[in-house]
Amino acid sequence: MDLLSIDSLDDEQIAAILDRAEVLFAANRAGQSSEELRGRIVFNLFYENSTRTLMSFATAAHRLGASVVTLPVEQSSVKKGETLEDTARTLNAMRPDCLVIRHSVNGAPATVAPIMDSPVINAGDGTNEHPTQALLDAATLRHRLGRIEGRKVAICGDIRHSRVARSNAKLLPRLGAEVRLTGPRELMPDGIASLSIDEAIQGADVVMMLRVQRERLESDLGDAPGEYLQRYGLTAERLARAAPNALVMHPGPMNRGVEIDGTIADDPERSLITLQVEMGVAVRMACLEMLVGGSA
């Protein structure tokens, strides 16, 4: 089994991951570890920069007793012209027990999955999907709110280029949430009508902000310093339109003062941003158990 998309999982598997993640979250906080995957090897193959996802998968594997090998792509034979498929064939010959891959090209994990004899986990492919991020977001909301069904979630910002938004837009409605997407017109996918950010946030239980992925833009937005925050970002005034005690999320990395005001990001009562990171380790442990250990 591979985890390439939210669609890779049926409802029972999603429920199993979320349930198991809650148990593992508590165990991690208690300082407990596991030998579930002792003797197994997890390969991390990241063609794009990452802090949270790379370290989260590495930590998850170590907490389960597995060994982690990370290939520094900048120092690999990719720089000599090796294709993705040939890299996958080379890695497969080393007999890993799992390959975790991030790539800038949509569909890259699906390209290598048939080559690999081990499970492949998509850690983000281009502007396509980031399934484990959506799973950890759901687990974070369930941990904090108790249930996701009936909650209103506003996802705001660079929707066009966000694999996080795409995976959440698939997962959260399956769990009973109402998802509202909003962003500047030029950062919305074709064919999706955009609410204004004020309309999207109105009465929302959760506001998830997204970074503007300027590295993927064909042309600069031309916004002056502070302009994006005032027009499209999350300020205290804007958050006041949400439901009382609405929660704030961000998949990271944040651009403080651009898509989110720093004081909101650091609010210990309303911000779930660091909790998302912590829950990410538990969710990825649950995914590794399911795919590699077969026990979740």
Side-chain angles (χ1 to χ4, degrees):
M1 174 185 172
D2 301 308
L3 179 48
L4 305 178
S5 163
I6 288 299
D7 293 336
S8 301
L9 301 169
D10 61 30
D11 291 348
E12 288 186 2
Q13 290 168 327
I14 290 169
I17 289 170
L18 297 182
D19 288 344
R20 182 61 177 155
E22 190 66 34
V23 173
L24 292 166
F25 177 87
N28 289 343
R29 283 205 163 180
Q32 300 170 3
S33 59
S34 168
E35 294 297 312
E36 168 100 12
L37 299 186
R38 182 176 178 83
R40 306 296 183 92
I41 298 175
V42 175
F43 279 3
N44 279 333
L45 179 61
F46 277 54
Y47 286 80
E48 290 185 317
N49 293 338
S50 174
T51 298
R52 291 154 192 78
T53 306
L54 178 62
M55 295 299 293
S56 183
F57 269 110
T59 302
H62 279 298
R63 287 195 177 277
L64 291 169
S67 298
V68 179
V69 179
T70 298
L71 175 64
V73 171
E74 290 297 318
Q75 301 171 32
S76 74
S77 293
V78 170
K79 294 301 179 180
K80 299 178 181 179
E82 183 173 76
T83 67
L84 174 63
E85 291 86 349
D86 282 338
T87 296
R89 292 184 185 99
T90 299
L91 296 181
N92 189 56
M94 299 177 190
R95 315 308 302 169
D97 295 288
C98 184
L99 174 69
V100 180
I101 178 172
R102 167 170 288 191
H103 204 284
S104 61
V105 175
N106 291 9
T111 296
V112 304
I115 298 171
M116 300 297 299
D117 294 321
S118 64
V120 173
I121 299 178
N122 179 6
D125 62 324
T127 61
N128 182 38
E129 277 212 54
H130 195 350
T132 60
Q133 179 68 46
L135 288 164
L136 76 86
D137 290 340
T140 301
L141 288 177
R142 199 173 74 159
H143 177 80
R144 181 63 180 266
L145 296 173
R147 62 176 174 83
I148 296 174
E149 185 178 5
R151 305 295 186 180
K152 300 177 178 65
V153 181
I155 304 179
C156 313
D158 187 357
I159 305 297
R160 176 183 291 273
H161 301 105
S162 178
R163 52 200 176 204
V164 174
R166 280 174 173 76
S167 288
N168 269 302
K170 287 185 175 185
L171 177 62
L172 293 178
R174 286 176 63 178
L175 298 173
E178 174 190 327
V179 175
R180 306 167 179 174
L181 302 175
T182 183
R185 182 179 304 171
E186 56 269 48
L187 297 181
M188 290 295 294
D190 296 335
I192 296 183
S194 174
L195 301 169
S196 73
I197 186 169
D198 293 324
E199 290 172 328
I201 289 178
Q202 187 70 40
D205 300 295
V206 180
V207 180
M208 181 185 297
M209 300 307 297
L210 302 172
R211 178 178 68 89
V212 178
Q213 299 186 43
R214 296 179 190 270
E215 70 276 14
R216 301 189 196 274
L217 298 182
E218 294 181 1
S219 59
D220 192 81
L221 291 177
D223 51 321
E227 182 181 355
Y228 187 93
L229 180 64
Q230 291 306 314
R231 294 181 64 188
Y232 307 111
L234 188 60
T235 61
E237 293 78 14
R238 199 159 267 142
L239 186 57
R241 294 175 176 270
N245 303 313
L247 300 172
V248 176
M249 304 180 79
H250 196 305
M254 285 185 292
N255 285 323
R256 292 170 178 267
V258 179
E259 71 270 7
I260 187 169
D261 185 276
T263 57
I264 295 173
D266 296 332
D267 187 324
E269 298 300 321
R270 305 184 74 170
S271 175
L272 302 183
I273 296 171
T274 56
L275 182 61
Q276 287 173 265
V277 176
E278 184 178 4
M279 185 61 77
V281 174
V283 163
R284 287 165 178 138
M285 289 174 71
C287 290
L288 287 170
E289 281 188 345
M290 177 175 285
L291 271 66
V292 181
S295 64

